[in-house]
Amino acid sequence: MEWAWLIPIFSFAAAPLIVLFGKYLPSKGAFLSILAIVAGFGGFWVVLISWMGADPSTSGCFTSENTHLLTCDYERSWFNAGRIGDVGSVTLNWGILIDPLTIAVLGLVTFVAMMVQIYSLAYMKGDPRFGWYFAIHSMFAAAMLTLVLADNFLLLYVAWELVGICSYLLIGFWHERAAAREAAKKAFIVTRIGDVGLLIGILLIYREVGTFSMLDAFEAVRTGAMSEGVTTAAAILLFLGAMGKSAQIPFHVWLPDAMEGPTPVSALIHAATMVIAGVFLVARTFPIFEAYDADPLLIVSIVGLVTALVAATIALVATDLKRILAYSTISHLGLMMLSLGAFGYTAAIFHMMAHGFSKALLFLGAGSVLHSTEFQETGEMGGLRKVMPITAIVFSIGALSLGGIPILAGFWSKDEILVAVSDNRNVTFIVLTLFTAMLSALYMARAMFLVFFGPLKSQNEHAHESPGAMVVPMILLGVLALGFGLISFNWPGSYGGIGTFVYFKHAHDFHFEIWLGAVSIVLAVGAFIAAYLIYVKRSVSLENTRSNFFGILKVIENKYYFDEVYQWTIDRVVLVFSRSIAFFDRAIVNDIIVNGPADVTRKLGIAIRVHVTGHVYTYTLAMAIGSIGMAIFVWLRVA
């Protein structure tokens, strides 16, 4: 486990090698990026096996007082920062933290990134910046892996910002298009707002604890060395950063526009890197959130529920295939936050992984459709299962999984979230969560039926199945979307289900709430049947619904006017205020306060220099006039 730092280093090393030497290498160096992430995936298995064979007597390992899990911390001194403010000499460490949360997310990131990069070999073939694409892809994966491994807030923040930079470069990869440039800037700016909160929270913790170490901060919270007020403030500030990265309302507006990047980039962002960073941050710092009366967790659960519900309604009316999936991601990220806020630590991580495999599959499936048909609007599609059977099958597996259909992975992870919400939040939460789960099934069924079922449209008769490099990763992800839920069960032997591997303080075996499971199954299956009747059989018309709820639908179709409100605020408030400040700075501060004394001095100098001509006769005349004046003055005094 001490060598786990190599997992991101492989990809970090590949990126500059591709940039510098890619044009001289086969496939412009893409194979270096793929080899690096394959090595990282191998490193994940080494770490997993090593951790499973470790115990508190293993070097660097101990049973955490905060999580009650076997935790291994390996740190190396980076440099000594000397005296900082009132704090003495501070040694900054470059450390890695290995626990079940780290291992779970390492597996998700390395596997999905590996599948996406293999898929990209065919999808991005012929692109003039093919090598650059893989270089940034490699850097993106490396940054996320570093974030996951970090044992201190400073290293986490460096990786956090590097993730943001890489997402900016990949979202705006086709920067020749204005929409891509604007989407990249939007993602960068919106997430920076949350990042300010994260930075302030980190500095607040450092000011209170005197170190950037996460373990020391958690211990300070556990022992009461960090006061309740500071702990609550720190948790809320950390959550602001998580809200930005994980696209929680009101910071969600950047994620749908991020679809302007290449589709494999969308798969990586939505499944295993940028957007799960916020969920990971809350999970990693859970001892801070659940301390004292756990008030911050109520905020987390409320924001998560509102995000999940609002995004689900938008996904239900969106017509662009990638945007349907984007709003689906926002909704499921909201469910993960809701689960964490309802003390469903295990359920949130379980759903993060099940969603990651399914969402990567769905985006790669969407990329396969776009690659073949060149259409993104679902209205231009239909019947594609006849010409793209493999893509249709694997996409349907992903849709059924996220829709919560038994026995796929998404069903089991969603059930765990429902149990957590039911046990730890009031009835309003569980009712709205069930409603959101039903909407999730409905919009996933809608996307699946509109794209792959019904008659094949004439404009798609030329469509064909994607090449093997794209199909194989989809099949492998499909296998996980289908069977990953099996890890939730108790199996013969020492493994008692995911609740005995990833948990916070208390391990728990798999259990199934009959009434919750039955309700969720009825809602999910009913939603798929309704979607089939509406979009395939056309036996149910939506015209009456549209006419009766025209006003509400208009608001939803315009995404609740979040973008318009933000644009109005920028145009009418921010820019007007900025222009006022600029005028004050220019007219008052610059022209009067700074330049005023200089102008007075200059004009006075001009006024008094007219006698300096350089001509002798002028000076002689001045002397004569002066002498005469003095003589007259003396004569008048004497007289």
Side-chain angles (χ1 to χ4, degrees):
M1 287 183 288
E2 294 183 45
W3 294 93
W5 59 271
L6 284 173
I7 295 175
I9 290 297
F10 291 132
S11 293
F12 270 129
L17 290 175
I18 295 171
V19 172
L20 294 174
F21 307 109
K23 61 182 179 180
Y24 306 111
L25 298 172
S27 302
K28 296 186 178 180
F31 73 93
L32 289 177
S33 179
I34 295 174
L35 286 176
I37 198 63
V38 168
F41 184 59
F44 150 72
W45 284 105
V46 172
V47 170
L48 172 60
I49 294 170
S50 299
W51 183 88
M52 293 177 67
D55 57 49
S57 65
T58 303
S59 174
C61 298
F62 55 92
T63 300
S64 171
E65 294 287 344
N66 294 286
T67 64
H68 298 177
L69 284 165
L70 179 67
T71 302
C72 303
D73 186 26
Y74 304 98
E75 58 184 20
R76 299 289 184 271
S77 177
W78 186 6
F79 64 87
N80 191 296
R83 188 176 182 83
I84 300 179
D86 296 332
V87 182
S89 179
V90 177
T91 300
L92 302 180
N93 295 313
W94 187 278
I96 58 174
L97 185 66
I98 308 294
D99 66 359
L101 174 62
T102 302
I103 294 170
V105 183
L106 281 179
L108 174 64
V109 175
T110 52
F111 182 76
V112 171
M114 181 171 61
M115 293 298 100
V116 170
Q117 290 192 27
I118 294 172
Y119 178 97
S120 298
L121 287 172
Y123 190 89
M124 298 299 294
K125 185 178 181 180
D127 191 283
R129 291 190 295 275
F130 186 79
W132 173 249
Y133 170 87
F134 276 90
I136 302 304
H137 232 290
S138 192
M139 185 66 70
F140 200 11
M144 186 64 197
L145 291 168
T146 302
L147 188 157
V148 172
L149 284 165
D151 78 330
N152 65 82
F153 286 109
L154 183 61
L155 179 57
L156 179 142
Y157 189 75
V158 171
W160 185 275
E161 292 302 321
L162 188 55
V163 165
I165 292 171
C166 292
S167 68
Y168 168 81
L169 293 173
L170 287 172
I171 293 169
F173 181 77
W174 287 318
H175 53 76
E176 301 84 358
R177 303 191 329 224
R181 295 196 300 271
E182 293 302 315
K185 288 189 290 185
K186 187 175 184 179
F188 192 79
I189 293 169
V190 172
T191 55
R192 291 289 78 67
I193 297 171
D195 291 356
V196 172
L198 173 61
L199 179 58
I200 296 173
I202 290 173
L203 294 177
L204 178 62
I205 293 171
Y206 172 79
R207 182 67 182 84
E208 193 75 6
V209 181
T211 175
F212 289 107
S213 170
M214 294 182 191
L215 296 179
D216 289 347
F218 301 158
E219 186 64 18
V221 172
R222 189 184 68 84
T223 60
M226 188 186 297
S227 68
E228 181 176 356
V230 172
T231 302
T232 301
I236 293 172
L237 288 167
L238 294 175
F239 185 53
L240 280 175
M243 288 172 65
K245 276 289 194 288
S246 289
Q248 300 295 287
I249 283 179
F251 301 136
H252 68 289
V253 293
W254 68 268
L255 190 54
D257 289 359
M259 299 303 96
E260 295 297 333
T263 303
V265 170
S266 301
L268 190 61
I269 289 176
H270 286 249
T273 51
M274 179 108 163
V275 297
I276 70 166
V279 178
F280 172 82
L281 176 64
V282 176
R284 171 58 74 211
T285 57
F286 206 69
I288 297 175
F289 281 84
E290 63 89 40
Y292 300 103
D293 293 329
D295 290 336
L297 286 182
L298 178 60
I299 298 174
V300 173
S301 58
I302 292 172
V303 171
L305 179 59
V306 173
T307 301
L309 185 56
V310 168
T313 58
I314 300 175
L316 194 57
V317 300
T319 57
D320 182 293
L321 178 58
K322 289 177 67 176
R323 288 182 183 272
I324 293 173
L325 299 180
Y327 282 107
S328 167
T329 298
I330 297 172
S331 182
H332 282 273
L333 289 167
L335 289 175
M336 295 174 209
M337 289 297 188
L338 170 61
S339 181
L340 287 169
F343 301 90
Y345 182 92
T346 299
I349 304 308
F350 185 19
H351 193 62
M352 178 200 295
M353 300 180 72
H355 171 268
F357 298 132
S358 300
K359 188 52 60 68
L361 169 60
L362 287 168
F363 266 108
L364 296 187
S368 178
V369 171
L370 270 58
H371 183 266
S372 182
T373 66
E374 299 181 358
F375 294 129
Q376 284 192 203
E377 288 291 322
T378 54
E380 301 289 339
M381 303 174 191
L384 290 177
R385 74 184 190 284
K386 298 175 182 178
V387 289
M388 305 181 69
I390 299 177
T391 299
I393 292 171
V394 294
F395 188 96
S396 297
I397 290 173
L400 292 167
S401 176
L402 289 189
I405 298 296
I407 56 172
L408 287 82
F411 168 76
W412 303 111
S413 60
K414 182 193 69 176
D415 178 74
E416 289 293 304
I417 292 176
L418 292 173
V419 171
V421 175
S422 176
D423 289 346
N424 298 296
R425 294 297 175 203
N426 63 43
V427 66
T428 303
F429 279 88
I430 189 60
V431 169
L432 292 178
T433 304
L434 285 167
F435 181 63
T436 303
M438 183 197 69
L439 292 179
S440 178
L442 192 56
Y443 65 65
M444 287 302 354
R446 173 175 172 263
M448 181 180 76
F449 289 134
L450 285 175
V451 174
F452 295 103
F453 290 80
L456 180 66
K457 295 187 177 180
S458 57
Q459 64 264 36
N460 293 322
E461 290 178 352
H462 69 284
H464 54 83
E465 191 57 83
S466 298
M470 295 171 64
V471 169
V472 171
M474 289 193 293
I475 292 174
L476 293 175
L477 287 166
V479 171
L480 287 173
L482 182 64
F484 184 72
L486 297 177
I487 72 166
S488 62
F489 295 111
N490 306 333
W491 292 98
S494 60
Y495 181 72
I498 191 171
T500 62
F501 176 67
V502 179
Y503 59 86
F504 185 79
K505 288 188 176 178
H506 303 292
H508 56 86
D509 295 333
F510 173 79
H511 64 285
F512 186 74
E513 290 283 352
I514 300 297
W515 76 271
L516 266 179
V519 171
S520 68
I521 290 172
V522 169
L523 291 175
V525 173
F528 271 84
I529 293 173
Y532 178 77
L533 295 175
I534 295 170
Y535 301 109
V536 179
K537 300 299 289 184
R538 307 287 179 178
S539 58
V540 177
S541 175
L542 295 178
E543 293 305 318
N544 290 335
T545 303
R546 292 193 64 85
S547 60
N548 293 334
F549 298 96
F550 176 77
I552 296 175
L553 285 174
K554 184 178 180 181
V555 172
I556 298 174
E557 287 171 348
N558 285 280
K559 298 165 289 188
Y560 294 90
Y561 296 100
F562 273 99
D563 287 295
E564 287 78 4
V565 169
Y566 288 159
Q567 195 63 55
W568 183 91
T569 303
I570 292 170
D571 293 341
R572 303 296 179 86
V573 178
V574 176
L575 293 181
V576 171
F577 181 72
S578 299
R579 281 193 288 267
S580 301
I581 295 296
F583 174 79
F584 178 81
D585 177 65
R586 184 178 62 256
I588 306 300
V589 176
N590 190 64
D591 293 350
I592 296 177
I593 298 176
V594 177
N595 291 342
D599 289 340
V600 171
T601 303
R602 180 175 58 84
K603 291 176 181 178
L604 182 63
I606 292 172
I608 65 176
R609 75 182 184 183
V610 294
H611 69 287
V612 183
T613 65
H615 298 140
V616 175
Y617 61 81
T618 303
Y619 301 151
T620 303
L621 175 62
M623 292 172 64
I625 293 173
S627 298
I628 293 171
M630 290 179 65
I632 293 173
F633 175 76
V634 171
W635 179 75
L636 290 174
R637 291 289 299 271
V638 172

